[in-house]
Amino acid sequence: MQPNIKQSLDIVSLVSIGQHPQSGRVRRAEQDGRAVELGMNLGGDNLTVLHAGDPQEQALRTYAGMGLSSMQVLNLDLQDDAVPALADYLQQLRPDIVLTGVRAESGESSGMVPYLLAEKLNWPVVARIADIVSVEDGVAEVMLALPRGQRRALKVALPFVASVDNAAPEARQSAYGPGIRAQIEPLAGVKEEDTVRSNWSEAKAKPRPKRLKVVKAKTAAERFKAATAKPQGEAGKVLKGVPAKEQAQEIFNLLLEEKVI
């Protein structure tokens, strides 16, 4: 659905470095790509794609490959807080709409950036939008993404910050050639160290413990039968006349195999 836009809009799409959930390789973040797609459909040539971080990061080229001629990057170090730099830049630029993903795919991934920016800019924030239907007389009609595919229309005055949900239009394919030819413009940003994150240590997430099968038995006989019955289609082991230590070791090994511990 093409949005009904009756005024020229200045739109900023904020992008981050994504991370593939299986391989861990850097990539274009899924939700940020949708924010760029929505910004391109709304703003056209008035779209500014902004990243806070390393201008040399090659993953940024995958955003540029969507058809962008240039991107702006606030040159920040890994330990710097991106929110003050982004807020300072947006206060100077004064765009009509700022689009972000709901949360980043790497780093802190708290999902707080849209709210912190809106607080610093004193703008309204709209969470999890699927589309911007129209903008007229300084008021935008946005479509919120609700569970189970439902939608809710909402009107919000410009300027505002919006986070883009996975229900928004999918980002177009990134082309290698245009991505390489696009100009990455590094900008000086306000540098404030993120003191909270600097004290953290990052590690790979551990799988959650697996729940054992719950037996809904009412009587003692049924509970005994469920505890001693051999599972259907699975290899079992019956221990008779075995020392308690070896029995405990077998139980421990089973819990490890089932990823309960």
Side-chain angles (χ1 to χ4, degrees):
M1 180 173 59
Q2 283 294 107
N4 179 24
I5 309 297
K6 294 188 177 181
Q7 63 186 77
S8 178
L9 295 175
D10 291 325
I11 300 176
V12 174
S13 292
L14 305 181
V15 298
S16 61
I17 305 303
Q19 189 175 31
H20 195 277
Q22 275 75 43
S23 66
R25 296 179 62 181
V26 296
R27 65 168 187 174
R28 177 181 68 183
E30 180 69 22
Q31 293 174 343
D32 293 346
R34 295 174 188 265
V36 174
E37 179 69 27
L38 184 57
M40 294 178 70
N41 294 335
L42 291 173
D45 295 336
N46 293 331
L47 172 67
T48 300
V49 178
L50 179 65
H51 171 68
D54 183 8
Q56 303 301 322
E57 175 58 60
Q58 290 301 309
L60 296 176
R61 297 289 177 180
T62 58
Y63 292 107
M66 295 174 64
L68 304 175
S69 59
S70 64
M71 290 180 59
Q72 281 69 46
V73 179
L74 298 173
N75 195 353
L76 300 180
D77 298 326
L78 185 62
Q79 71 273 12
D80 293 332
D81 189 353
V83 173
L86 291 172
D88 180 72
Y89 179 88
L90 294 173
Q91 283 175 342
Q92 298 180 36
L93 189 63
R94 302 298 298 179
D96 297 302
I97 302 174
V98 175
L99 301 174
T100 76
V102 175
R103 62 173 52 87
E105 297 178 350
S106 60
E108 191 173 337
S109 190
S110 65
M112 288 298 297
V113 169
Y115 301 96
L116 294 174
L117 282 178
E119 182 181 28
K120 284 184 173 292
L121 297 171
N122 198 25
W123 292 359
V125 58
V126 186
R128 293 187 174 276
I129 70 170
D131 198 5
I132 297 180
V133 180
S134 64
V135 179
E136 187 175 358
D137 298 330
V139 177
E141 182 180 354
V142 302
M143 199 67 66
L144 301 183
L146 301 180
R148 300 180 181 179
Q150 300 180 79
R151 299 289 184 267
R152 177 182 295 163
L154 178 71
K155 290 187 177 182
V156 56
L158 303 180
F160 65 90
V161 180
S163 61
V164 179
D165 190 83
N166 285 332
E170 186 177 357
R172 67 193 67 183
Q173 186 175 359
S174 177
Y176 177 79
I180 293 298
R181 291 191 294 269
Q183 183 179 2
I184 305 295
E185 302 176 8
L187 305 172
V190 176
K191 292 196 174 185
E192 291 187 17
E193 184 178 357
D194 190 345
T195 56
V196 175
R197 186 178 176 184
S198 61
N199 296 324
W200 288 2
S201 59
E202 296 185 10
K204 292 185 178 179
K206 296 181 180 179
R208 294 184 177 181
K210 183 179 179 182
R211 289 180 176 269
L212 291 176
K213 182 180 179 181
V214 178
V215 179
K216 297 181 179 179
K218 297 181 179 179
T219 65
E222 291 176 349
R223 289 194 294 269
F224 179 78
K225 183 179 178 180
T228 57
K230 181 180 178 180
Q232 295 293 330
E234 296 183 6
K237 182 183 291 186
V238 178
L239 301 176
K240 291 184 179 180
V242 179
K245 184 176 181 180
E246 294 185 16
Q247 295 179 17
Q249 184 62 44
E250 289 294 334
I251 294 174
F252 182 73
N253 293 339
L254 175 63
L255 295 177
L256 288 177
E257 291 176 4
E258 295 292 335
K259 297 183 178 179
V260 176
I261 58 176

